[in-house]
Amino acid sequence: MPRIHLTAVLAALAPSLLAATVASAALAQTVPPAQDDALTASKTEIPTAFQPGVPADNYVRREVMIPMRDGVRLHTVIIIPKGLTDAPMILDRTPYNANRLTNGTGSTHVEMLVRQGYGTLLQNGYILVAQDVRGKYGSEGDYVMNRPVVGPLNTTGVDHATDAYDTIDWLSKNVSESNGRVGTMGNSYDGFTVTQSLINPHPALKAAVPMMAMVDGWMGDDWFHNGAFRWLGAIDYALGQEGARSGGPAWPAACFDDYECALAAGSAAQLGEAKGVQQTGFWNQLLRHPSYDAWWQAQAVDKILATQPLKVPTLWVNGLWDQEDIYGTMAAYRAVEPKDVNNDMNFLVAGPWMHGGAYRDSGSSIGQVQFDSATAYYFQRHVLLPFLDAHLKTHGAPADISPVTLFESGRNEWRHLQSWPTDVPSRRLYLQAGNGLGFTAPAEGGPSDSNKAFDEYISDPAHPVPYIQRPVRGDAWRTWLATDQRPYSDRADVVTYVSEPLTEAVRISGNPQVHLFAATTGTDSDWVVKLIDVYPSEYWLQPEMGGYQLAVSMDIFRGRYRESLSDPKAIAPNRPLEYKWALPAASHTFLPGHRIMVQVQSSWFPLYDRNPQTFVPNIMFAKPGDYRRATQRVYHTGANATFIDLPLAVDQAGE
């Protein structure tokens, strides 16, 4: 064993001992003199103005006020990782506070400042720019919810398209660390502002990523679905966005269970009055426009983009369990797709995500449902980053990504397609007598009023079907679309149809189409249809999922719009009528041993307002006496056989 000399040890330790001595000396200099320990009448231990220590950051933060063409200045935060040069910029225009978006954790490390998706970009050589839209937080001007584009509904000369243009123009000329190239990106309302940047885009805008964007608030995004009003969320959102420039006041809850408070309030107008939200402009617009009139149609982003040339490579990001904006991304992608003649400008990703799930968390699960991999991480690293690098970096390599990247739940696999949905064969899934469900058309039954021809239930507005188990609380909102549907399958006001266990896989890819034949004793009615995957009673891969009823696609339709979305009409009572609408896009395999289920009901509360089941001109202002019980009949025989057209998946070359 070699001998160790003390002098060598001391020599090795000398630098650290010296540093410790210096630190101790510095600390000693800060110790207050002993006489300060005495307590006096005027003494306080709280400094007049505390100055926190600032650790060394690995980024530069700038706050600027960027002028718009009308003189209004917009508050903008620029985050630049230290040492970056010739870097691309990602712009997120938001009504949700640019300061919070760029410093949600208070960390001094750039990758920790923001949600994980932006953290990935910051770690890979991007500059992040967040901007408060006009009228919100630090920006000047007036706020208007989903400000319409300049035209008949907006004569101010400015909109989100012009504000994006002016902002990109300033950034491309004034951020010295950048290469002058800008990409727009954002989720929800921020996704809506991304879509607006595509209208007469600035030449420096080289890529756009609208995530789960607000596109059409009436057809199937935040405010209505097929005419049914999403009242509880709309009220709270309108209050939060327009109650104040810096975020609306919190409304004190009178009930632990939102179902109870909403039921007691009555109509949408009455609940809004109780919350004081009628003081906001947008809420009153909702009350005035319950139908798909010219006001809604002129604002539908998919219709607007269909008139625009495709100039900017765009990556649309869709969540298959998006509880807020499940309609818009797909609608906008489809509207633009015909313009992509070379199939190299219009891209789509659809993943198993809740609202914002593509960049907010790992994407490995939603509620109890597991997906066998971190799907959001896959998207960020293998689709998003290559797409942006190719179009924004000065010498970016071409992106090796498919025009469509699609996650297929059930099998839990990614599919790489040339387009989606495609023109594929469909297969009719029929409701059958005895609460059965199958692909064989029911035989002709007896007369139309025979109890073999239909199933019947009572829909009572005084006891509506909840959309989640009570108590209804906001903390269940994000994952509610994937919650277990068993609590409703045995309710007397829900009719349930279920297949035999499958002997072979049924793989669907696209929008299931509902063809519901139903009658009501009322003169108006809502219809909710749910397409459900029923797990085996024992499920060895995840035992707690035994018997789970996973909603694959479901939505509501307000009966008064059966003939026209813009011109509501009373329903002829006691007559079987056909109601047709598309359920949200699905990509799912019903595996062998599983069963397929369909549930039909006439309320979904308090997610949607109650239909009084008596025709009134404007349901928003329905009176207590308008709400009446109705007998509902769902038909499944002969010419009145209810079915869902399932879009069958077809493998494409290159998958």
Side-chain angles (χ1 to χ4, degrees), residues 310-615:
L310 177 57
K311 295 182 177 180
V312 180
T314 303
L315 176 64
W316 301 93
V317 182
N318 181 58
L320 295 169
W321 278 275
D322 182 348
Q323 75 279 8
E324 295 175 27
D325 294 308
I326 200 167
Y327 172 86
T329 299
M330 285 302 307
Y333 163 78
R334 289 171 178 162
V336 175
E337 181 65 5
K339 301 176 184 295
D340 188 11
V341 293
N342 295 321
N343 210 19
D344 60 356
M345 290 279 285
N346 197 44
F347 296 82
L348 174 69
V349 175
W353 304 311
M354 67 191 80
H355 195 63
Y359 75 116
R360 181 178 279 125
D361 48 38
S362 70
S364 59
S365 64
I366 179 170
Q368 289 184 248
V369 184
Q370 303 290 326
F371 299 119
D372 301 340
S373 64
T375 63
Y377 292 161
Y378 176 89
F379 156 69
Q380 293 163 26
R381 296 166 186 170
H382 299 289
V383 183
L384 176 64
L385 193 59
F387 172 80
L388 292 175
D389 284 353
H391 297 292
L392 294 179
K393 290 197 171 178
T394 303
H395 302 291
D400 184 19
I401 61 174
S402 302
V404 175
T405 306
L406 175 68
F407 189 84
E408 184 181 298
S409 53
R411 291 195 188 278
N412 293 340
E413 298 174 348
W414 285 102
R415 302 279 179 179
H416 302 280
L417 313 177
Q418 294 303 303
S419 61
W420 192 69
T422 55
D423 293 328
V424 297
S426 61
R427 193 174 183 185
R428 291 184 175 186
L429 182 66
Y430 288 94
L431 309 189
Q432 297 176 339
N435 300 103
L437 190 68
F439 294 106
T440 302
E444 291 288 342
S448 61
D449 61 348
S450 167
N451 59 11
K452 295 182 180 179
F454 57 81
D455 292 298
E456 189 174 273
Y457 62 95
I458 302 296
S459 174
D460 186 354
H463 302 282
V465 181
Y467 79 98
I468 56 174
Q469 282 189 278
R470 298 181 62 185
V472 175
R473 301 288 296 166
D475 52 7
W477 171 247
R478 294 186 64 209
T479 61
W480 82 266
L481 272 179
T483 54
D484 195 346
Q485 297 300 301
R486 275 180 289 192
Y488 321 106
S489 58
D490 295 326
R491 280 183 62 116
D493 51 0
V494 177
V495 287
T496 300
Y497 304 86
V498 64
S499 73
E500 294 296 325
L502 298 174
T503 57
E504 59 183 24
V506 176
R507 182 177 160 212
I508 64 172
S509 187
N511 293 84
Q513 304 288 326
V514 174
H515 295 258
L516 173 69
F517 289 86
T520 177
T521 57
T523 52
D524 199 0
S525 180
D526 286 349
W527 305 102
V528 178
V529 171
K530 307 174 183 177
L531 179 64
I532 297 167
D533 183 343
V534 182
Y535 283 59
S537 298
E538 289 188 300
Y539 190 66
W540 68 273
L541 286 171
Q542 195 180 348
E544 68 274 16
M545 292 293 288
Y548 197 90
Q549 295 179 9
L550 171 64
V552 173
S553 186
M554 52 184 178
D555 216 341
I556 190 170
F557 186 89
R558 181 142 286 175
R560 59 175 46 210
Y561 299 111
R562 189 182 77 88
E563 297 182 25
S564 169
L565 300 181
S566 60
D567 184 19
K569 294 180 180 178
I571 296 173
N574 300 309
R575 287 178 52 191
L577 301 171
E578 184 179 16
Y579 300 86
K580 295 186 293 185
W581 73 98
L583 297 181
S587 171
H588 184 78
T589 294
F590 298 87
L591 296 171
H594 290 227
R595 292 178 293 162
I596 304 177
M597 175 181 285
V598 170
Q599 293 179 6
V600 182
Q601 60 201 55
S602 293
S603 54
W604 224 5
F605 191 74
L607 176 61
Y608 295 96
D609 63 334
R610 295 171 302 150
N611 192 312
Q613 303 181 155
T614 302
F615 184 84

Side-chain angles (χ1 to χ4, degrees), residues 185-200:
M185 178 171 158
N187 181 77
S188 193
Y189 196 116
D190 301 21
F192 163 74
T193 65
V194 173
T195 68
Q196 303 301 283
S197 72
L198 298 172
I199 302 170
N200 186 29

Side-chain angles (χ1 to χ4, degrees), residues 33-383:
Q35 59 266 30
D36 280 358
D37 291 341
L39 180 63
T40 63
S42 61
K43 183 177 180 181
T44 177
E45 295 187 349
I46 300 176
T48 303
F50 181 78
Q51 297 295 326
V54 181
D57 297 326
N58 65 350
Y59 64 92
V60 175
R61 175 188 178 91
R62 297 180 190 145
E63 293 193 43
V64 295
M65 297 294 289
I66 298 179
M68 301 294 103
R69 63 191 62 186
D70 62 344
V72 166
R73 299 178 306 158
L74 302 187
H75 172 245
T76 308
V77 180
I78 305 172
I79 302 294
I80 308 172
K82 283 187 176 178
L84 274 190
T85 58
D86 195 37
M89 293 176 280
I90 292 293
L91 170 63
D92 186 326
R93 304 188 62 254
T94 181
Y96 302 126
N97 192 347
N99 281 329
R100 186 177 67 177
L101 189 152
T102 53
N103 197 10
T105 64
S107 174
T108 61
H109 293 89
V110 66
E111 64 272 12
M112 296 298 295
L113 285 177
V114 295
R115 290 171 176 164
Q116 83 180 30
Y118 285 131
T120 298
L121 299 181
L122 286 167
Q123 291 179 55
N124 284 275
Y126 283 80
I127 296 169
L128 175 62
V129 182
Q131 182 180 78
D132 293 321
V133 298
R134 61 171 59 222
K136 293 296 292 183
Y137 293 92
S139 287
E140 299 171 350
D142 298 321
Y143 177 73
V144 176
M145 186 80 75
N146 297 103
R147 178 182 285 265
V149 297
V150 172
L153 297 180
N154 178 1
T155 59
T156 66
V158 293
D159 55 23
H160 286 297
T162 64
D163 285 352
Y165 190 102
D166 295 347
T167 299
I168 293 169
D169 188 68
W170 189 95
L171 292 171
S172 65
K173 297 172 181 175
N174 291 279
V175 180
S176 60
E177 296 88 345
S178 81
N179 62 4
R181 298 182 175 217
V182 180
T184 49
M185 178 171 158
N187 181 77
S188 193
Y189 196 116
D190 301 21
F192 163 74
T193 65
V194 173
T195 68
Q196 303 301 283
S197 72
L198 298 172
I199 302 170
N200 186 29
H202 191 282
L205 179 62
K206 302 299 184 182
V209 186
M211 293 183 171
M212 306 175 198
M214 301 165 71
V215 167
D216 191 321
W218 195 94
M219 287 298 299
D221 286 333
D222 292 85
W223 319 119
F224 293 82
H225 274 221
N226 300 306
F229 180 45
R230 301 189 110 197
W231 69 332
L232 200 59
I235 289 174
D236 290 337
Y237 189 83
L239 185 64
Q241 282 298 292
E242 295 194 340
R245 176 182 291 267
S246 59
W251 185 73
C255 309
F256 182 76
D257 185 353
D258 288 338
Y259 182 103
E260 179 185 349
C261 270
L263 191 61
S267 69
Q270 288 173 307
L271 183 57
E273 187 79 19
K275 288 197 171 190
V277 74
Q278 81 282 356
Q279 300 169 66
T280 68
F282 183 66
W283 176 253
N284 290 301
Q285 295 278 36
L286 293 176
L287 296 182
R288 285 194 293 268
H289 298 280
S291 300
Y292 199 52
D293 57 15
W295 188 78
W296 285 110
Q297 294 179 43
Q299 296 183 70
V301 175
D302 56 326
K303 294 179 174 62
I304 295 170
L305 292 181
T307 68
Q308 298 287 311
L310 177 57
K311 295 182 177 180
V312 180
T314 303
L315 176 64
W316 301 93
V317 182
N318 181 58
L320 295 169
W321 278 275
D322 182 348
Q323 75 279 8
E324 295 175 27
D325 294 308
I326 200 167
Y327 172 86
T329 299
M330 285 302 307
Y333 163 78
R334 289 171 178 162
V336 175
E337 181 65 5
K339 301 176 184 295
D340 188 11
V341 293
N342 295 321
N343 210 19
D344 60 356
M345 290 279 285
N346 197 44
F347 296 82
L348 174 69
V349 175
W353 304 311
M354 67 191 80
H355 195 63
Y359 75 116
R360 181 178 279 125
D361 48 38
S362 70
S364 59
S365 64
I366 179 170
Q368 289 184 248
V369 184
Q370 303 290 326
F371 299 119
D372 301 340
S373 64
T375 63
Y377 292 161
Y378 176 89
F379 156 69
Q380 293 163 26
R381 296 166 186 170
H382 299 289
V383 183

